[in-house]
């Protein structure tokens, strides 16, 4: 008879089980609705589940650039094994979106430009870290560039993001991620995702000042991007998976807001009257406090 008391966090909504490590009875697990995909929230004008992007006419097993319009003019996003090719910064400092083939494309489901839409493939486990609350680790080694999981949740507008951030009480976790993209000469696009009430395993990922994951917006069927997390380096089995809550160069804040954060009281961690939480990532370059994106609150 099996004694494994781990349960599937996703309730069979993912391709593989998302396990929860058994803990003591006094450990409280947060209540939320599991969703492997983004859902439309207040202030989001586009349903993330709606197919709004055009498809390609490549009638081949796998699309090839530069003839396929889906990767645009940037060349292939993935190698033959599905690993993200560009893990480095862009010239603008903002991230540049990846476009995968979608439901309207004529290519096969085996196309090399279909990675994130394939869903979770790695065996992940949510576990109690001790000093950082809950965390996530992979139960297998993860090669560099491998898609790990999405940071999925409610896609909300700026005003709703501001309202939720200001309404947070002391001790509550801030799950809202603001991702900024810049492609060509157009304006910087922003996407706000909050997995507090509706989200996936990504909501349990902890911040690190020296992370092993990088966040990359990926558009598949909808103009609303999926916030995909890829291994920025090779990750050992059972090593904690982390990402930079600011996204690093992939989610750059305006210079004036960065300087405001640097001016936070080093002893109390207060910034513009808001209490910042201590960072326990243990990195040599640890900033002592978790990042706080003031652009959501201070936007004119």
């Amino acid at each position: 008879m099996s004694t494994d008391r781990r349960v599937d966090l996703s309730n069979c909504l993912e391709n593989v089980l998302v396990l929860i490590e058994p803990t003591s009875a006094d450990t409280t697990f947060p209540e939320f609705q599991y969703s492997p995909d983004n859902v439309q929230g207040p202030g989001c004008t586009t349903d993330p589940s709606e197919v709004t992007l055009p498809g390609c006419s490549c009638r081949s097993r796998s699309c090839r650039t530069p003839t396929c319009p889906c990767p645009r003019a940037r060349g292939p996003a993935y190698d033959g094994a599905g690993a993200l090719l560009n893990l480095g910064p862009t010239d603008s400092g903002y991230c540049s979106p990846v476009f995968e083939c979608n439901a309207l494309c004529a290519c096969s489901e085996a196309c090399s430009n279909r990675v994130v839409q394939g869903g979770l493939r790695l065996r992940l486990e949510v576990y109690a870290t001790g000093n950082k609350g809950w965390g996530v680790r992979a139960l297998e080694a993860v090669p560099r560039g491998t898609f790990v999981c999405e940071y999925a949740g409610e896609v909300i507008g700026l005003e709703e993001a501001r309202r939720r951030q200001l309404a947070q009480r002391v001790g509550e976790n801030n799950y809202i991620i603001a991702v900024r993209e810049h492609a060509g000469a157009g304006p910087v696009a922003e996407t706000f995702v909050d997995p507090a009430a509706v989200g996936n395993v990504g909501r349990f990922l902890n911040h690190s000042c020296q992370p092993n994951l990088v966040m990359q917006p990926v558009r598949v069927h909808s103009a609303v991007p999926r916030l995909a997390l890829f291994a920025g380096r090779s990750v050992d089995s059972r090593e904690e998976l982390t990402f930079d809550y600011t996204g690093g160069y992939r989610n750059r804040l305006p210079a004036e807001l960065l300087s405001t954060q640097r001016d936070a009281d080093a002893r109390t961690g207060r910034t513009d009257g808001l209490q910042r939480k201590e960072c326990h990532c243990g990195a040599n370059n640890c900033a002592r406090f978790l990042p706080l994106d003031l652009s959501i609150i201070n936007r004119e």
Side-chain angles (χ1 to χ4, degrees):
M1 180 177 178
S2 173
T3 59
D4 192 342
R5 296 186 292 113
R6 295 180 296 180
V7 298
D8 179 21
L9 175 66
S10 75
N11 295 315
C12 298
L13 293 177
E14 300 280 14
N15 298 319
V16 294
L17 301 181
V18 180
L19 299 175
I20 307 174
E21 182 188 46
T23 58
S24 59
D26 58 352
T27 302
T28 302
F29 196 79
E31 294 185 3
F32 72 103
Q33 178 184 337
Y34 196 98
S35 174
D37 305 305
N38 286 329
V39 298
Q40 187 174 15
C44 176
T45 58
T46 303
D47 185 349
S49 65
E50 183 180 356
V51 180
T52 57
L53 295 179
C56 69
S57 58
C58 303
R59 298 189 179 278
S60 59
R61 176 178 173 83
S62 188
C63 296
R64 298 177 177 84
T65 55
T67 56
C68 178
C70 291
R72 306 306 191 221
R74 301 182 182 89
Y78 309 110
D79 66 14
L84 186 68
L85 290 171
N86 183 16
L87 290 167
T90 60
D91 293 337
S92 68
Y94 297 98
C95 57
S96 182
V98 165
F99 288 84
E100 291 192 0
C101 291
N102 60 47
L104 299 180
C105 291
C107 58
S108 74
E109 293 296 321
C111 177
S112 60
N113 196 40
R114 299 177 185 266
V115 173
V116 173
Q117 63 192 270
L120 196 64
R121 300 295 181 186
L122 296 173
R123 294 180 296 122
L124 302 180
E125 181 181 57
V126 176
Y127 71 105
T129 63
N131 63 341
K132 295 182 291 185
W134 297 94
V136 183
R137 59 191 173 199
L139 300 180
E140 57 190 287
V142 185
R144 182 178 184 271
T146 300
F147 169 60
V148 174
C149 69
E150 288 186 48
Y151 191 84
E154 282 187 281
V155 182
I156 57 179
L158 172 61
E159 291 303 320
E160 179 65 14
R162 178 188 287 118
R163 185 194 70 77
R164 293 186 184 188
Q165 197 169 85
L166 290 173
Q168 285 174 355
R169 294 173 292 185
V170 176
E172 289 184 331
N173 292 323
N174 175 29
Y175 292 98
I176 300 173
I177 291 290
V179 169
R180 298 167 179 86
E181 306 168 78
H182 186 263
V188 174
E190 293 183 303
T191 302
F192 303 93
V193 175
D194 183 8
V198 181
N200 71 337
V201 63
R203 76 190 298 282
F204 293 99
L205 290 167
N206 281 314
H207 165 81
S208 176
C209 299
Q210 193 172 349
N212 50 29
L213 304 181
V214 295
M215 181 173 282
Q216 170 66 55
V218 176
R219 284 177 172 79
V220 184
H221 313 295
S222 172
V224 178
R226 301 185 183 191
L227 307 188
L229 290 152
F230 295 84
R233 60 168 174 80
S234 296
V235 182
D236 294 332
S237 175
R238 303 189 71 82
E239 177 183 350
E240 183 178 8
L241 299 168
T242 59
F243 74 104
D244 184 343
Y245 282 2
T246 69
Y249 70 86
R250 295 180 178 273
N251 185 21
R252 190 175 67 178
L253 293 174
E256 65 273 15
L257 295 179
L258 284 172
S259 62
T260 301
Q261 290 189 359
R262 286 195 295 268
D263 292 338
D265 187 294
R267 182 177 59 83
T268 65
R270 297 190 69 84
T271 304
D272 279 13
L274 299 174
Q275 182 67 43
R276 294 177 65 185
K277 293 186 177 182
E278 291 187 16
C279 179
H280 299 288
C281 71
N284 294 332
N285 63 335
C286 181
R288 294 189 58 198
F289 297 100
L290 294 180
L292 180 62
D293 188 347
L294 296 177
S295 68
I296 295 177
I297 296 176
N298 294 349
R299 191 71 56 85
E300 295 295 336

